[in-house]
Amino acid sequence: MSTLATSNPSRPDQPIGVFDSGIGGLTVVRAIKDALPKEDIFYLGDTARLPYGNKDRTTIERYSLEIAGLLSVEGAKLIVVACNTASALALPRLQEVFRIPIIGVIESGARAAAAATKEKRIGIIGTRATVASGAYERAIRAVDPAIAVLSQPCPLLVPLIEEGMFEHPVTLEMLHHYLDPLIAEGIDTLVLGCTHYPLLKKAITEVAGDDIKLVDSAENCAAQVQQLLTEAQLENSAERPGNLQVALTDSSNPFFKTADQALELNINRVQTRIVQGVTLAAL
Amino acid sequence: MSTLATSNPSRPDQPIGVFDSGIGGLTVVRAIKDALPKEDIFYLGDTARLPYGNKDRTTIERYSLEIAGLLSVEGAKLIVVACNTASALALPRLQEVFRIPIIGVIESGARAAAAATKEKRIGIIGTRATVASGAYERAIRAVDPAIAVLSQPCPLLVPLIEEGMFEHPVTLEMLHHYLDPLIAEGIDTLVLGCTHYPLLKKAITEVAGDDIKLVDSAENCAAQVQQLLTEAQLENSAERPGNLQVALTDSSNPFFKTADQALELNINRVQTRIVQGVTLAAL
């Protein structure tokens, strides 16, 4: 038994730790709660340092290690990197450092997209850092090297979403600016490669049309979490609904209320955690 | 002499320290270089944690203290907070903690605006945090309580500027959205209450018209720096052009090149500084 404990230090009654640079990762929380209603979840949004999407790999790795460290302090049995940028740039380093299982949103999204495309032409939209990393492209090519992948960084979508401008004319104009070139290239599948983007699904469908299938990394990631918990025998078997705790590194995020309502999470208290970066010195 | 040294620990040959959450404060550097060509300047942009404008006072104070600490390490004789958000929220705390003179951009902008308005109706545009702080309003009312101040947070302007979309239709549409209500209220003076905004002067004039006077906090702040250095006998008298050093806390900021070119600063090397927050423990 001691060897098993060494290889897998987690227990089923511990919470799932979920993190994002901000609030967008709550779309992943919504999907995990739907798939695994008994699981406790501790969500940590690094709102004091968001966005990650325009920053460099060194910064994103450092921030991800620090936030995952805080989730370890909260006793997470598994960490979900509910941020495409951090998944694309920091996942290997996180898996090197921490012993508990850590999963990102890229691989499940890539697999779902590869399964969905008929014409073997997939579009990816995401932050500048996610697109520049080429992570989706590599993950999709690993499934099927014959698939053509067309990527488009969309740096203005997160600010527009955080302003709650889900169907504003300016948002539609920016979506045309970003998506029209991908549509002209004949993609039949579009990966929403940023956890904010599911909140823009309606506007994206309006611009892209009904024929292009949208792949939402949140849903696919939740399925992967469920599979991993089952395989590792880490599912919470408690006979009660799971508890959701939310902590942010900065208290004032006007987008929080919008997201809470849109996702029907009914979060009634938000804690604050200060990241000082000191913990990293020991890693 | 020793009492003088205690009250003013700085020497004329030390650099002026300038900081901003990102690159926008380079507009202040440009103005300081024009007014004081012999001064050495050390510029520090906290690009790893930008933007500050949507974050809370606790976070903005902490970041400002940490960045000012780094500028002290660089031997700054005077610190210019070339960021409206940090000036609005953190200046009192900075002045409490550090012995060297620290000046922000709010007071000089407020004085210039109060001098410029004829109808006694001033508009302020800035980040959400700057506007919510009420700092410009207080500073203008301190000069003349009869002046009406109308404020408008413009959270999307910084992302649009950082994308280099200075005259894009979407930028003009957002400017109409933000400025039309102020114009309808009959302002005759508009304070560009964010160091990014001078890069949008042309588009703002197109939307606001030639009759509304634009107050650029960068220029007015440089005049205040000059006055303070003269009074404190801290002017650099070296017979050579001043040296500009630039350091950022994150290496990848696509906006940097745009700003460098638009401001003709010819910065050929950018250093990196890591802020770990550890220095703050001692304050």
Side-chain angles (χ1 to χ4, degrees):
Chain A
M1 285 301 279
S2 70
T3 22
L4 185 65
T6 307
S7 66
N8 187 349
S10 303
R11 294 187 322 269
D13 62 339
Q14 290 174 285
I16 297 173
V18 180
F19 84 82
D20 180 29
S21 58
I23 309 293
L26 288 174
T27 58
V28 177
V29 168
R30 177 72 269 167
I32 295 175
K33 276 182 79 71
D34 290 343
L36 298 157
K38 293 177 182 174
E39 296 295 334
D40 293 332
I41 298 173
F42 193 100
Y43 181 87
L44 189 48
D46 195 9
T47 47
R49 305 189 292 195
L50 67 76
Y52 287 6
N54 291 322
K55 291 163 190 172
D56 68 22
R57 182 181 294 271
T58 311
T59 299
I60 294 163
E61 278 189 354
R62 183 158 63 86
Y63 289 177
S64 299
L65 287 168
E66 290 167 359
I67 296 294
L70 286 179
L71 287 175
S72 295
V73 171
E74 300 295 335
K77 64 182 169 187
L78 160 79
I79 289 176
V80 179
V81 185
C83 169
N84 283 266
T85 303
S87 297
L89 286 101
L91 193 61
R93 184 80 184 105
L94 286 168
Q95 289 170 334
E96 256 173 38
V97 169
F98 292 94
R99 282 181 50 213
I100 55 172
I102 302 189
I103 65 174
V105 289
I106 305 280
E107 203 185 309
S108 51
R111 269 197 257 126
T117 185
K118 282 179 183 142
E119 304 295 330
K120 293 193 186 289
R121 294 183 84 75
I122 296 175
I124 309 286
I125 54 174
T127 65
R128 210 184 283 287
T130 298
V131 169
S133 76
Y136 271 108
E137 201 157 352
R138 280 193 302 279
I140 291 169
R141 293 268 169 84
V143 180
D144 182 351
I147 295 174
V149 180
L150 300 125
S151 301
Q152 174 67 49
C154 303
L156 281 170
L157 293 189
V158 168
L160 288 166
I161 294 166
E162 299 228 332
E163 289 306 306
M165 294 165 67
F166 301 141
E167 288 164 67
H168 194 278
V170 160
T171 304
L172 292 172
E173 188 168 343
M174 287 313 303
L175 281 174
H176 273 292
H177 175 78
Y178 292 138
L179 298 181
D180 288 354
L182 298 179
I183 297 165
E185 290 283 347
I187 58 162
D188 69 353
T189 302
L190 179 66
V191 177
L192 308 184
C194 170
T195 47
H196 276 71
Y197 298 171
L199 292 162
L200 224 53
K201 258 185 185 170
K202 201 174 152 193
I204 291 172
T205 303
E206 198 175 321
V207 170
D210 291 325
D211 293 342
I212 294 180
K213 192 174 159 63
L214 304 186
V215 173
D216 173 345
S217 42
E219 285 166 25
N220 293 290
C221 174
Q224 202 191 343
V225 170
Q226 186 165 29
Q227 191 188 345
L228 195 149
L229 288 184
T230 308
E231 285 171 8
Q233 295 182 300
L234 281 175
E235 280 178 297
N236 195 328
S237 56
E239 287 305 322
R240 49 139 191 86
N243 174 32
L244 169 61
Q245 283 193 78
V246 174
L248 304 176
T249 56
D250 178 276
S251 68
S252 77
N253 194 299
F255 176 55
F256 181 75
K257 273 277 154 256
T258 316
D260 184 24
Q261 283 160 12
L263 298 166
E264 296 174 11
L265 286 166
N266 302 315
I267 298 161
N268 50 28
R269 198 172 74 90
V270 177
Q271 305 171 49
T272 304
R273 291 288 184 281
I274 303 294
V275 204
Q276 284 281 25
V278 186
T279 51
L280 188 63
L283 299 176
Chain B
M1 284 302 279
S2 68
T3 22
L4 183 66
T6 307
S7 66
N8 187 347
S10 303
R11 294 186 323 269
D13 63 339
Q14 290 174 284
I16 297 172
V18 179
F19 85 81
D20 181 27
S21 58
I23 309 294
L26 288 173
T27 58
V28 176
V29 168
R30 175 73 269 167
I32 294 175
K33 278 182 77 72
D34 290 343
L36 298 157
K38 293 177 182 173
E39 296 295 333
D40 293 333
I41 298 173
F42 193 100
Y43 182 88
L44 189 48
D46 194 9
T47 46
R49 305 190 291 194
L50 70 75
Y52 287 6
N54 291 322
K55 290 163 190 171
D56 68 23
R57 182 182 295 272
T58 311
T59 300
I60 295 163
E61 279 189 354
R62 183 160 61 89
Y63 289 177
S64 299
L65 287 168
E66 290 167 0
I67 296 294
L70 287 179
L71 287 174
S72 295
V73 171
E74 300 295 336
K77 63 182 170 186
L78 160 79
I79 289 177
V80 179
V81 185
C83 169
N84 283 263
T85 303
S87 298
L89 286 100
L91 193 60
R93 185 78 184 108
L94 286 168
Q95 289 171 332
E96 257 173 40
V97 168
F98 293 95
R99 281 180 51 213
I100 56 172
I102 302 190
I103 64 174
V105 288
I106 305 279
E107 203 184 309
S108 51
R111 269 196 256 128
T117 185
K118 283 179 183 141
E119 305 295 330
K120 293 193 185 291
R121 293 184 83 77
I122 297 175
I124 309 287
I125 55 174
T127 64
R128 211 184 284 284
T130 298
V131 169
S133 77
Y136 270 110
E137 203 158 349
R138 279 193 302 281
I140 290 170
R141 294 267 169 86
V143 180
D144 182 351
I147 295 175
V149 180
L150 300 123
S151 300
Q152 174 67 51
C154 304
L156 281 170
L157 294 188
V158 168
L160 288 165
I161 293 166
E162 299 226 332
E163 288 307 306
M165 293 165 66
F166 302 141
E167 288 164 68
H168 194 277
V170 160
T171 304
L172 293 172
E173 189 169 343
M174 287 314 302
L175 281 173
H176 273 292
H177 175 78
Y178 292 138
L179 298 181
D180 288 354
L182 298 178
I183 297 165
E185 290 283 346
I187 60 161
D188 68 351
T189 303
L190 179 67
V191 177
L192 308 183
C194 170
T195 46
H196 277 71
Y197 298 171
L199 293 162
L200 223 52
K201 257 185 185 170
K202 201 174 154 195
I204 290 172
T205 303
E206 199 175 320
V207 170
D210 291 326
D211 293 341
I212 293 179
K213 191 174 160 61
L214 303 186
V215 173
D216 172 345
S217 42
E219 284 167 24
N220 293 290
C221 175
Q224 202 192 343
V225 170
Q226 186 165 29
Q227 192 188 345
L228 195 148
L229 289 183
T230 308
E231 286 170 8
Q233 295 182 301
L234 282 174
E235 281 178 295
N236 196 328
S237 55
E239 288 304 321
R240 48 139 192 85
N243 174 32
L244 169 60
Q245 284 193 77
V246 173
L248 304 176
T249 56
D250 178 277
S251 69
S252 77
N253 193 301
F255 176 55
F256 181 76
K257 273 278 156 255
T258 316
D260 184 26
Q261 283 161 9
L263 298 165
E264 296 174 11
L265 285 166
N266 303 315
I267 299 159
N268 50 29
R269 196 173 76 91
V270 177
Q271 307 171 47
T272 304
R273 291 288 183 282
I274 303 292
V275 204
Q276 284 282 26
V278 187
T279 50
L280 188 61
L283 298 177

